[in-house]
């Protein structure tokens, strides 16, 4: 299992229930390019998308949801900040958990159930404890390893 020790693709994981600190701002980094510090208030100025019927399937703690998550699609985030081509994005949380997203996935999921940087849950602002700002990959219903809470940094690599 080549990915067993990759922190961006762990084979299994015991979920962390509590955020490491309160500040929900995150760094958006384009490798060999600019960096921005982005807050939930910044995300609120971008187009908003809601995706219903999302499940958080924790193999240890059972399934929660369905939830309606709201926020900014990765597509809309990129369109607002940069236009360099990119191949993969590394989404890393403030507690050192992470996941990778490939550009093809964003293209494939552009239609009905896009990948979100979620700031809202069931129509209300998400609390920090609930994961603000949380990546939601609606198509992932295996083990919640892609549902990254407390995003600290997103790096786009070409
Ligand atoms: N930042 C961060 N995100 C994370 C985790 C974590 O430990 N840290 N655990 C993942 C796993 S394995 C699960 S099952 C879910 C748990 O989500 P919940 O706390 O909303 O139930 O969060 C995922 N996202
Ligand atoms: Mo999990």
């Amino acid at each position: 299992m080549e990915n067993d020790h990759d922190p961006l693709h762990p084979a299994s994981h015991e979920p962390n229930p509590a955020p490491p600190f309160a500040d929900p701002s995150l760094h958006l980094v384009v490798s060999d390019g600019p960096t921005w510090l982005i807050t939930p208030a910044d995300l609120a100025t971008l187009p908003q998308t809601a995706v219903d019927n999302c499940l958080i399937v924790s193999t240890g703690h059972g399934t929660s949801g369905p939830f309606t998550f709201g926020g900014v699609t990765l597509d809309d985030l990129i369109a607002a900040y940069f236009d360099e081509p990119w191949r993969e994005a590394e989404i890393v949380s403030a507690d050192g958990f992470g996941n990778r997203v490939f550009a093809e996935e964003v293209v494939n999921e552009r239609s009905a159930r896009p990948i979100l940087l979620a700031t809202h849950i069931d129509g209300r602002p998400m609390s920090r404890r609930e994961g603000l700002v949380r990546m939601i990959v609606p198509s992932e219903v295996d083990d919640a390893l892609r549902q990254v809470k407390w995003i600290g940094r997103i790096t786009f690599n070409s």
Side-chain angles (χ1 to χ4, degrees):
M1 300 297 283
E2 71 208 41
N3 283 322
D4 267 5
H5 303 293
D6 181 347
L8 297 185
H9 191 169
S12 66
H13 184 78
E14 195 54 39
N16 182 1
F21 50 78
D23 181 359
S25 51
L26 60 97
H27 286 91
L28 172 60
V29 180
V30 178
S31 64
D32 303 320
T35 295
W36 299 267
L37 186 65
I38 295 179
T39 66
D42 295 325
L43 294 177
T45 68
L46 302 181
Q48 300 294 303
T49 300
V51 182
D52 63 10
N53 265 304
C54 294
L55 299 176
I56 302 294
V57 181
S58 165
T59 47
H61 299 78
T63 298
S64 59
F67 301 109
T68 298
F69 285 107
V72 176
T73 68
L74 270 186
D75 248 354
D76 286 331
L77 179 83
I78 292 161
Y81 284 91
F82 67 97
D83 54 18
E84 286 92 334
W86 63 284
R87 185 178 51 83
E88 53 112 43
E90 297 175 4
I91 291 84
V92 178
S93 70
D95 62 333
F97 183 77
N99 193 253
R100 270 194 190 85
V101 172
F102 294 92
E104 306 83 74
E105 296 184 87
V106 174
V107 173
N108 291 342
E109 300 193 7
R110 208 160 256 172
S111 53
R113 300 181 65 73
I115 298 172
L116 288 182
L117 299 191
T119 54
H120 286 69
I121 180 167
D122 292 338
R124 59 164 177 84
M126 186 185 291
S127 69
R128 180 65 169 158
R129 190 175 176 90
E130 288 171 317
L132 185 73
V133 173
R134 186 170 197 171
M135 180 164 80
I136 295 296
V137 181
S139 61
E140 188 275 288
V141 288
D142 292 329
D143 48 23
L145 289 174
R146 308 195 74 185
Q147 318 302 331
V148 179
K149 297 179 282 191
W150 316 306
I151 299 171
R153 180 175 299 259
I154 303 179
T155 307
F156 289 91
N157 295 311
S158 56

